[in-house]
């Protein structure tokens, strides 16, 4: 009986998708800017990474994150990160505050059934350390690279095979669409069919 019910759901979903194939506007899942900001903030605040930057050991932590989806209609996600780092200089630890702005392209990975970021670009950086403020491009670029490595491995959103509504989507080709403040997953139909 349960198997019959699943097939009925799947049949209804396929029927619905077929009827919407001409417009390709059916969003099966939407992720708002607020949801994405909350999700990524929780993941990044747990990140306390030890690394070497410009030959100096440091411990990096993300303190605050602000995410914008498709700002000014651009097909990217912009992240503004406030980070705190402790740089080890001989026997002294120097606290450094870095504010970075990055842009990245979101994409849906069909195999991993998740939305990820790629093609990062450093837009702006500001640093404050030991009473000094300004821009230190080598340090900012190295810290941005560390964050990019983490963010490329971290899914923005993953379909959950334990949820019935997601399980039905696992075998359907999906595409990602961006509108200001929102990421949507919709069926990926071939044009001209």
């Amino acid at each position: 009986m349960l198997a019959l019910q699943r097939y009925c759901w799947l049949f209804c979903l396929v029927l619905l998708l077929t009827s919407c194939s001409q417009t390709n506007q059916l969003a099966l899942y939407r992720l708002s800017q607020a949801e994405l900001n909350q999700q990524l903030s929780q993941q990044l605040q747990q990140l306390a990474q030890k690394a070497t930057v410009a030959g100096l050991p440091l411990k990096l932590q993300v303190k605050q994150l602000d995410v914008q989806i498709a700002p000014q209609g651009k097909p990217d996600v912009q992240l503004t990160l406030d980070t705190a780092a402790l740089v080890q200089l001989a026997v002294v630890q120097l606290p450094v505050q870095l504010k970075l702005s990055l842009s990245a392209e979101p994409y849906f990975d069909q195999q991993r059934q998740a939305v990820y970021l790629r093609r990062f670009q450093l837009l702006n950086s500001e640093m404050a350390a030991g009473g000094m403020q300004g821009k230190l491009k080598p340090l900012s670029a190295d810290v941005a690279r560390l964050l990019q490595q983490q963010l490329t491995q971290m899914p923005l959103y993953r379909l959950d095979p334990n949820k019935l509504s997601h399980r039905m989507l696992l075998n359907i080709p999906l595409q990602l669409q961006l509108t200001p403040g929102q990421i949507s997953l919709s069926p990926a139909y071939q044009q001209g069919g």
Side-chain angles (χ1 to χ4, degrees):
M1 183 67 177
L2 186 59
L4 180 62
Q5 195 175 25
R6 285 185 186 162
Y7 287 120
C8 286
W9 272 103
L10 186 58
F11 177 74
C12 289
L13 182 63
V14 169
L15 187 62
L16 179 64
L17 292 176
T18 304
S19 67
C20 295
S21 66
Q22 295 301 319
T23 61
N24 206 14
Q25 297 298 312
L26 177 67
L28 301 174
Y29 183 79
R30 289 189 172 104
L31 182 65
S32 74
Q33 193 164 281
E35 292 168 321
L36 178 58
N37 198 57
Q38 181 181 10
Q39 183 174 325
L40 271 181
S41 292
Q42 289 172 353
Q43 290 176 340
L44 285 173
Q45 284 179 358
Q46 295 171 6
L47 169 70
Q49 183 172 345
K50 291 183 179 179
T52 302
V53 174
L56 301 171
L58 70 78
K59 184 176 180 183
L60 179 70
Q61 186 173 16
V62 176
K63 296 291 189 182
Q64 187 176 350
L65 171 71
D66 179 44
V67 177
Q68 290 186 343
I69 299 171
Q72 294 90 35
K74 295 179 184 173
D76 63 9
V77 171
Q78 289 188 2
L79 306 129
T80 302
L81 302 107
D82 285 326
T83 65
L86 285 175
V87 178
Q88 188 71 39
L89 299 170
V91 294
V92 178
Q93 288 189 337
L94 176 67
V96 176
Q97 304 295 319
L98 278 170
K99 185 172 185 173
L100 301 170
S101 294
L102 304 166
S103 70
E105 174 192 349
Y107 71 100
F108 182 71
D109 186 315
Q110 197 74 41
Q111 284 188 315
R112 294 188 280 180
Q113 298 293 312
V115 177
Y116 288 91
L117 292 174
R118 64 182 172 197
R119 297 187 182 119
F120 286 85
Q121 189 173 33
L122 179 61
L123 301 175
N124 191 25
S125 64
E126 297 173 15
M127 182 196 76
M132 297 185 311
Q133 291 188 345
K135 296 184 180 202
L136 189 58
K137 286 186 179 185
L139 180 61
S140 299
D142 285 348
V143 170
R145 202 172 313 108
L146 286 173
L147 290 168
Q148 289 171 30
Q149 289 171 356
Q150 288 295 323
L151 289 167
T152 55
Q153 301 302 315
M154 196 180 300
L156 300 182
Y157 181 76
R158 182 182 303 276
L159 293 176
D160 185 354
N162 296 319
K163 292 182 180 178
L164 180 61
S165 59
H166 289 197
R167 207 174 317 145
M168 291 185 279
L169 303 177
L170 295 177
N171 295 319
I172 298 172
L174 298 173
Q175 68 181 2
L176 184 131
Q177 296 175 330
L178 292 179
T179 54
Q182 186 170 268
I183 295 175
S184 302
L185 291 176
S186 60
Y189 297 108
Q190 294 181 353
Q191 299 296 323

